[in-house]
């Protein structure tokens, strides 16, 4: 059943090669947060020496169930890009064992696909100071309704010029419970958290008529959500040489 659900989530992605993000959620050992950060910086030297071409962005979780965790993200890859790096991956793992692993309590790895057909934000671009992340755990029978509702909302936003913040959507491909979608919205300041004066529901009713049920359909397709805030840590991140 899990395999079938995964196939459904991946099969609904946009046309063309999937754009993949590798995401690691790491928890430092209690009281070892500073040592973990120092180890992360030390491990970046490995990627620099290897002339690794993929940027590694580090975020600290500041709200939600994973508060205090560190999120390591590498995006923009295709599945094919990840082949042929066995020797590099082995050396990477050996260096992690020497640097980060001794001060890590746990680590969870997952792979997500960027959903361009659902997104109003661009895949590439500089990391914002912070970003809000909302995890949507969708009912299997509500998958089509969920994605159709997101598209319908986006169409109304574009039509009405509704002042919402651009959002990037991702779906879980491997490494967790699904169907699982993630909405990521950049927030360069706390003021960016302020919602528009007109509610999304009112905007949709203005666009599609007073009987519009887009939000209701969306909610009924979702089992539950989890929200969190991530703060970008450029001091811990790796950028390849230009």
């Amino acid at each position: 059943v899990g395999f079938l659900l995964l196939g459904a989530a991946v099969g609904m992605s946009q046309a063309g090669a999937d754009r993949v993000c590798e995401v690691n959620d790491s928890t430092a050992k209690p009281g070892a947060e500073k040592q973990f950060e120092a180890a992360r910086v030390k491990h970046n030297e490995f990627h620099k020496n290897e002339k690794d071409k993929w940027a590694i962005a580090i975020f600290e979780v500041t709200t939600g169930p994973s508060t205090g965790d560190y999120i390591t993200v590498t995006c923009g890859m295709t599945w094919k890009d990840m082949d042929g790096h066995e020797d590099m991956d082995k050396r990477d793992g050996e260096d992690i064992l020497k640097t980060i692993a001794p001060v890590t309590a746990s680590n969870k790895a997952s792979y997500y696909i960027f959903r361009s057909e659902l997104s109003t934000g661009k895949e590439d671009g500089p990391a914002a100071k912070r970003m809000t992340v909302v995890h949507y755990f969708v009912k299997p029978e509500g998958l089509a309704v969920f994605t159709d509702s997101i598209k319908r909302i986006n169409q109304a936003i574009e039509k009405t010029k509704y002042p919402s913040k651009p959002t990037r959507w991702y779906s879980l491909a491997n490494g967790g419970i699904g169907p699982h979608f993630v909405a990521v919205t950049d927030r360069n300041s706390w003021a960016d958290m302020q919602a528009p004066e007109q509610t999304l529901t009112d905007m949709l009713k203005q666009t599609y008529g007073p009987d519009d049920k887009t939000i209701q359909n969306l909610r009924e397709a979702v089992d539950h959500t989890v929200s969190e805030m991530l703060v970008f840590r450029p001091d811990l991140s790796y950028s390849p040489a230009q």
Side-chain angles (χ1 to χ4, degrees):
V1 173
F3 178 79
L4 292 175
L5 294 181
L6 173 61
V10 174
M12 292 186 68
S13 64
Q14 67 277 9
D18 292 335
R19 302 284 289 179
V20 182
C21 289
E22 178 181 340
V23 179
N24 281 268
D25 182 344
S26 303
T27 305
K29 289 183 176 179
E33 290 79 10
K34 293 300 181 184
Q35 293 93 322
F36 179 93
E37 293 182 6
R40 177 69 248 182
V41 173
K42 176 67 176 176
H43 181 60
N44 286 344
E45 289 297 316
F46 166 83
H47 290 276
K48 180 179 179 180
N49 293 334
E50 291 280 340
K51 296 180 173 60
D52 190 354
K53 67 177 182 178
W54 297 107
I56 303 172
I58 310 296
F59 300 87
E60 184 176 352
V61 184
T62 59
T63 65
S66 298
T67 296
D69 283 6
Y70 296 87
I71 307 297
T72 304
V73 181
T74 298
C75 284
M77 304 176 290
T78 66
W79 295 115
K80 184 176 181 181
D81 289 333
M82 298 168 66
D83 286 327
H85 301 283
E86 290 79 8
D87 291 343
M88 163 67 171
D89 291 342
K90 181 180 178 181
R91 294 192 300 274
D92 187 26
E94 291 172 347
D95 194 77
I96 288 174
L97 286 175
K98 292 187 298 183
T99 55
I100 301 176
V103 290
T104 301
S106 65
N107 182 79
K108 299 179 288 292
S110 302
Y111 292 92
Y112 291 83
I113 295 171
F114 177 64
R115 300 297 294 266
S116 61
E117 85 283 18
L118 302 179
S119 299
T120 56
K122 295 181 180 179
E123 177 187 15
D124 300 321
K129 183 177 181 180
R130 60 174 58 86
M131 59 190 188
T132 50
V133 179
V134 182
H135 300 264
Y136 291 82
F137 294 88
V138 180
K139 299 173 184 176
E141 67 274 17
L143 190 57
V145 172
F146 178 81
T147 54
D148 287 346
S149 296
I150 298 300
K151 293 176 183 178
R152 187 174 173 87
I153 291 170
N154 289 343
Q155 290 167 359
I157 288 173
E158 182 177 4
K159 181 178 180 179
T160 63
K161 307 301 180 183
Y162 185 72
S164 64
K165 299 295 179 184
T167 296
R168 301 183 298 279
W169 281 91
Y170 302 84
S171 60
L172 178 70
N174 187 272
I177 298 172
H180 178 188
F181 288 75
V182 182
V184 179
T185 305
D186 291 341
R187 312 285 183 177
N188 285 302
S189 67
W190 285 107
D192 276 348
M193 295 288 292
Q194 180 62 48
E197 291 185 9
Q198 184 186 34
T199 67
L200 188 62
T201 299
D202 288 342
M203 182 275 289
L204 290 168
K205 289 184 181 297
Q206 175 187 331
T207 306
Y208 298 120
D211 296 327
D212 180 71
K213 291 181 171 57
T214 304
I215 295 297
Q216 178 181 334
N217 293 338
L218 179 68
R219 288 171 176 163
E220 291 177 352
V222 175
D223 181 80
H224 68 282
T225 64
V226 177
S227 64
E228 58 190 3
M229 181 172 289
L230 274 58
V231 173
F232 181 49
R233 293 293 303 271
D235 55 322
L236 306 181
S237 301
Y238 165 78
S239 297
Q242 298 299 320

